[in-house]
């Protein structure tokens, strides 16, 4: 099929048909005018109010006769709609809604949905309401109405789940399809997930546009709602999507390896492989969208804060009427025209009047040529010293980078030897050796910066870093860059055959309430300090 997104088209059109036939049945009836419901808005509101009553009665497994419906409409009319209707009019109106609009006078309703896979239309039956015979008080025979599956789907579709739950629900369904290996359904769900992320990004951009136009038109409740949605979207989304992408890559790699080395894939397996590739593409796009949402979230917070601060500052500006404060005053006192510049000068941003500076007058004056020669000599001397100063600064920078390298390579070697190491274990290992301790902690500032960068990274994918390093041209940084230094050190430690020693590094705090103490550590000024930090664990794969 040329357009994959048209595969589920009949199913989508069935949902559209639920609304289309209902509105078509209602809009063509002139009976509404007899009861005072003249425009379509009132008619549709009453229809759905009656359907909700049917659903409530069906869920409670209680009878819903025409008398019950008439009494319900009469209550609504008395309290809300306020039409001039009697109880009998309300009962007849309920009969009209149930039997004419929702049941189409007892005739079956169909909607033709085009099936692009079969190249033809497929008729879908639509039924909102059904009925059954009940006996009230074991003797009186009545007809009780209830909603069908189509009726339930229609009403449940009108009140969608909370915005902060949509992404979670679709993600759960996507995960379930992956586990069951229903990759064709997983493709639809990952598209839904990506669409929700795209919609969230668009909402943030629209909110920023409204704030830029006028921050007072954007309420605090709207701002709070979008921030909460952003936080629900951002929380754990990237980690989960990365795990899904790794799983999809693994399964696609297994199928590709089987196709190359063992046997030719069946048609179903080839379809699964194609779906896995589509899922991987959408997961990559979803991760990019997540990063855009995170950046836009921070931009929105900064923009809203800035606009509100500027609006608060406007209240300090004193305003006046040109008519009463200027024109009328000039007409009454024309001599004021001679001093009009005092009034207009602030408006024209005129510079302040010059003031005679006695300090400058009493300052020792030097000949201009001698002063220029002195400045020239100083400039030449500075030019000569600048090269030496730059050389000294480069030496200091190299020495500082060597300390960063020593700390990182100390951690990496322990990680390669064990696969898992904690900061507490590193402390115990270096307690008896001052040399090893100076490698792990060159000084307080360097150790703190490295630990903070590692905790911020949390999960480091070495293969992804290498690919990014190959594909993108980046300027060489003059300071400490964790990713660049990790790649350099791993290249030095890797064996000649080029087999990677570490694929991933995971860094996390150990939340057990304990802390690690390093007493007597020197800072850059040479003062002895004690470092207290949470215990951290390092894991490699």
């Amino acid at each position: 099929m040329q357009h994959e997104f048209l595969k589920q088209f009949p199913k989508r059109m069935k949902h559209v048909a639920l609304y289309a036939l209902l509105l078509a049945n209602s809009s063509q009836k002139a009976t509404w005018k007899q009861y005072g419901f003249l425009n379509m808005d009132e008619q549709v509101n009453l229809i759905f109010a009656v359907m909700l009553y049917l659903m409530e009665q069906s869920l409670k497994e209680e009878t819903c006769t025409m008398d019950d419906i008439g009494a319900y409409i009469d209550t609504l009319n008395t309290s809300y709609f306020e039409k001039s209707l009697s109880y009998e009019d309300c009962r007849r109106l309920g009969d009209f809604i149930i039997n004419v609009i929702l049941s189409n006078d007892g005739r079956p309703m169909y909607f033709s949905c085009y099936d692009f896979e079969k190249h033809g239309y497929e008729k879908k039956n639509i039924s909102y309401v059904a009925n059954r015979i009940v006996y009230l008080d074991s003797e009186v025979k009545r007809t009780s109405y209830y909603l069908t599956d189509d009726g339930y789907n229609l009403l449940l579709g009108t009140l969608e789940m909370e915005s902060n739950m949509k992404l979670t629900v679709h993600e759960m369904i996507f995960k379930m399809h992956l586990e069951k290996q229903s990759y064709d359904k997983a493709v639809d769900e990952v598209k839904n997930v990506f669409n929700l992320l795209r919609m969230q990004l668009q909402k943030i951009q629209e909110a920023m546009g409204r704030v830029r136009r006028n921050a007072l038109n954007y309420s605090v409740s709207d701002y709070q709602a979008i921030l909460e949605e952003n936080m629900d979207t951002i929380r754990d989304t990237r980690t989960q999507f990365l795990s899904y992408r790794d799983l999809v890559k693994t399964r696609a790699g297994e199928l590709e390896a089987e196709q190359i080395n063992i046997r030719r894939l069946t048609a179903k397996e080839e379809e699964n492989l194609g779906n896995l590739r589509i899922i991987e593409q959408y997961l990559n796009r979803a991760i990019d969208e997540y990063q855009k949402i995170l950046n836009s979230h921070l931009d929105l917070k900064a923009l809203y804060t800035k606009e509100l601060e500027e609006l608060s500052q406007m209240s300090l500006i004193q305003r006046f009427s040109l008519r009463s404060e200027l024109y009328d005053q000039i007409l009454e006192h024309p001599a004021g025209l001679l001093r009009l510049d005092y009034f207009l000068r602030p408006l024209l941003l005129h510079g302040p009047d010059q003031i005679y500076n006695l300090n400058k007058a009493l300052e020792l004056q030097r000949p201009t040529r001698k002063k220029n020669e002195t400045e020239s000599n100083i400039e030449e001397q500075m030019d000569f010293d600048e090269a030496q100063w730059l050389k000294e600064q480069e030496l200091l920078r190299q020495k500082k980078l060597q300390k960063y390298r020593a700390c990182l390579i100390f951690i990496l070697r322990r990680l390669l030897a064990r696969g898992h190491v904690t900061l507490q274990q590193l402390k115990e290992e270096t307690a008896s050796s001052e040399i090893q301790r100076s490698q792990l902690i060159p000084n307080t500032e360097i150790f703190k910066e490295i630990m903070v960068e590692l905790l911020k990274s949390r999960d480091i994918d070495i293969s992804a870093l290498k690919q990014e390093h190959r594909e993108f041209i980046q300027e060489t940084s003059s300071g400490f860059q964790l990713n660049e230094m990790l790649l350099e050190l791993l290249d030095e430690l890797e064996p000649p055959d080029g087999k990677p020693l570490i694929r991933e590094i995971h860094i996390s705090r150990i939340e057990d309430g304990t802390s690690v103490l390093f007493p007597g550590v020197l800072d850059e000024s040479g003062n002895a300090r004690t470092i207290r930090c949470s215990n951290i664990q390092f894991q490699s794969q």
Side-chain angles (χ1 to χ4, degrees):
M1 188 175 181
Q2 184 179 1
H3 302 293
E4 295 295 328
F5 53 82
L6 293 176
K7 277 190 174 181
Q8 302 293 329
F9 191 75
K11 183 178 178 181
R12 294 180 184 274
M13 294 309 297
K14 174 69 180 291
H15 294 292
V16 175
L18 296 175
Y19 297 92
L21 291 181
L22 181 64
L23 296 177
N25 283 352
S26 173
S27 61
Q28 296 174 4
K29 302 297 187 291
T31 309
W32 285 108
K33 298 180 181 179
Q34 302 176 11
Y35 302 101
F37 291 87
L38 303 180
N39 58 60
M40 188 181 68
D41 299 345
E42 295 177 330
Q43 300 165 11
V44 173
N45 277 278
L46 182 58
I47 291 172
F48 277 89
V50 171
M51 292 185 70
L52 284 172
Y53 178 71
L54 289 177
M55 183 174 73
E56 187 68 16
Q57 295 298 102
S58 302
L59 292 175
K60 293 190 295 185
E61 297 183 353
E62 296 182 1
T63 59
C64 185
T65 64
M66 194 56 67
D67 293 333
D68 298 326
I69 297 172
Y72 169 70
I73 296 177
D74 184 53
T75 303
L76 291 182
N77 182 59
T78 303
S79 304
Y80 305 104
F81 296 118
E82 299 179 354
K83 305 290 184 181
S84 57
L85 299 175
S86 63
Y87 170 76
E88 288 300 326
D89 292 334
C90 292
R91 191 181 187 282
R92 286 193 296 271
L93 178 58
D95 181 76
F96 166 69
I97 293 174
I98 296 296
N99 293 314
V100 178
I101 296 178
L102 296 178
S103 299
N104 196 29
D105 289 322
R107 297 188 301 270
M109 292 179 284
Y110 294 95
F111 190 89
S112 298
C113 307
Y114 195 86
D115 192 331
F116 288 91
E117 293 183 280
K118 298 179 180 178
H119 300 277
Y121 285 95
E122 178 183 352
K123 285 190 174 182
K124 298 283 187 180
N125 177 250
I126 305 296
S127 175
Y128 304 102
V129 179
N131 60 72
R132 60 176 178 267
I133 302 300
V134 296
Y135 291 90
L136 303 180
D137 300 329
S138 303
E139 295 180 359
V140 182
K141 182 180 179 181
R142 288 287 185 269
T143 302
S144 178
Y145 299 91
Y146 60 94
L147 288 181
T148 63
D149 291 341
D150 288 341
Y152 278 114
N153 291 333
L154 174 63
L155 288 182
L156 293 177
T158 58
L159 183 61
E160 297 180 349
M161 67 190 77
E162 295 293 333
S163 299
N164 57 350
M165 292 296 295
K166 290 181 185 178
L167 185 63
T168 304
V169 171
H170 283 291
E171 187 180 338
M172 290 171 59
I173 298 174
F174 169 67
K175 181 180 179 181
M176 180 187 68
H177 288 319
L178 274 186
E179 292 174 350
K180 292 184 177 180
Q181 298 186 3
S182 302
Y183 300 126
D184 53 342
K185 298 178 181 178
V187 168
D188 295 332
E189 288 304 322
V190 76
K191 289 180 180 179
N192 290 333
V193 170
F194 174 74
N195 290 336
L196 289 173
L197 291 174
R198 177 61 59 84
M199 289 166 58
Q200 184 65 25
L201 179 61
Q202 291 175 352
K203 288 176 64 176
I204 300 174
Q205 293 172 346
E206 291 173 1
M208 293 176 68
R210 289 176 58 188
V211 171
R212 288 191 182 97
R213 287 191 292 271
N214 187 356
L216 294 178
N217 290 337
Y218 194 73
S219 65
V220 177
S221 59
D222 294 337
Y223 177 68
Q224 180 181 359
I226 196 169
L227 285 191
E228 290 176 353
E229 290 180 13
N230 291 343
M231 294 308 299
D232 291 329
T233 302
I234 292 169
R235 188 181 299 116
D236 298 331
T237 301
R238 183 175 183 273
T239 304
Q240 293 172 354
F241 284 178
L242 287 173
S243 64
Y244 295 149
R245 186 179 66 177
D246 294 340
L247 176 61
V248 169
K249 281 183 177 180
T250 302
R251 292 187 179 178
E254 291 173 356
L255 287 175
E256 291 174 349
E258 189 171 353
Q259 183 181 23
I260 294 172
N261 301 323
I262 301 177
R263 61 180 176 83
R264 183 179 180 83
L265 297 181
T266 63
K268 180 63 177 177
E269 290 174 334
E270 289 183 355
E271 182 183 357
N272 289 341
L273 181 58
N275 288 329
L276 284 171
R277 289 169 178 163
I278 295 174
I279 293 172
E280 184 181 353
Q281 292 174 3
Y282 272 93
L283 286 175
N284 289 332
R285 295 174 64 185
I287 293 171
D288 294 339
E289 211 70 15
Y290 159 85
Q291 188 62 44
K292 293 178 183 177
I293 290 175
L294 178 59
N295 295 336
S296 300
H297 169 75
L298 300 176
D299 292 342
L300 175 61
K301 292 180 64 176
L303 175 64
Y304 196 55
T305 303
K306 174 176 172 291
E307 293 292 332
L308 291 181
E309 288 177 352
E310 291 181 354
L311 286 173
S312 64
Q313 293 173 0
M314 289 180 62
S315 61
L316 303 176
I317 300 174
Q318 184 179 0
R319 301 180 182 276
F320 54 86
S321 171
L322 284 175
R323 168 66 64 181
S324 59
E325 300 293 334
L326 179 62
Y327 300 152
D328 294 345
Q329 299 294 331
I330 292 296
L331 291 175
E332 292 179 7
H333 307 284
L337 288 171
L338 298 175
R339 298 187 299 274
L340 191 61
D341 60 309
Y342 291 103
F343 185 86
L344 296 178
R345 186 179 298 165
L347 302 179
L348 302 176
L349 299 178
H350 191 278
D353 292 332
Q354 294 184 0
I355 301 174
Y356 187 71
N357 191 344
L358 288 176
N359 293 327
K360 285 290 183 182
L362 299 175
E363 185 178 313
L364 179 62
Q365 303 295 315
R366 292 189 177 89
T368 305
R369 189 169 72 177
K370 184 176 180 181
K371 181 179 178 181
N372 292 338
E373 290 177 356
T374 305
E375 291 178 352
S376 177
N377 294 334
I378 293 174
E379 185 175 355
E380 291 176 3
Q381 184 67 23
M382 288 179 62
D383 291 342
F384 174 78
D385 291 343
E386 182 180 359
Q388 183 67 24
W389 179 81
L390 290 174
K391 185 176 180 181
E392 292 175 357
Q393 291 299 315
E394 179 64 20
L395 290 175
L396 293 175
R397 187 182 70 85
Q398 292 295 336
K399 289 180 180 179
K400 191 173 183 179
L401 287 178
Q402 287 299 326
K403 294 179 180 179
Y404 283 106
R405 292 170 60 89
C407 179
L408 276 178
I409 204 167
F410 184 85
I411 298 174
L412 284 176
R413 283 175 175 167
R414 271 62 185 176
L415 195 57
L416 288 172
R418 306 173 191 174
H420 175 276
V421 69
T422 64
L423 192 58
Q424 179 66 35
Q425 293 172 348
L426 294 177
K427 176 199 172 183
E428 295 171 356
E429 183 177 340
T430 59
S432 59
S433 175
E434 189 62 32
I435 296 177
Q436 291 183 344
R437 180 175 172 176
S438 63
Q439 292 176 348
L440 177 63
I441 313 176
N443 57 51
T444 57
E445 289 80 7
I446 291 177
F447 180 75
K448 178 181 177 182
E449 184 177 358
I450 291 177
M451 292 299 117
V452 169
E453 290 296 323
L454 288 171
L455 285 173
K456 284 169 60 178
S457 300
R458 295 181 59 183
D459 300 313
I460 303 175
D461 189 340
I462 302 301
S463 59
L465 289 180
K466 290 183 178 179
Q467 183 177 359
E468 181 181 358
H469 187 70
R470 289 193 301 267
E471 294 179 354
F472 295 95
I473 300 175
Q474 300 178 352
E475 294 183 0
T476 303
S477 175
S478 59
F480 168 67
Q481 293 292 329
L482 177 64
N483 293 339
E484 295 179 6
M485 190 165 288
L486 276 177
L487 291 179
E488 292 178 7
L489 296 177
L490 288 175
D491 288 341
E492 296 177 4
L493 296 175
E494 282 183 357
D497 57 4
K499 184 178 179 181
L501 297 175
I502 298 178
R503 292 185 175 86
E504 294 181 1
I505 301 176
H506 304 282
I507 306 100
S508 61
R509 286 190 178 92
I510 300 177
E511 303 294 345
D512 56 357
T514 61
S515 57
V516 184
L517 292 177
F518 294 94
V521 180
L522 300 180
D523 60 11
E524 291 184 347
S525 302
N527 300 319
R529 299 185 180 276
T530 299
I531 298 177
R532 180 193 297 270
C533 62
S534 303
N535 197 7
I536 303 172
Q537 67 175 358
F538 306 89
Q539 289 181 325
S540 64
Q541 293 182 359

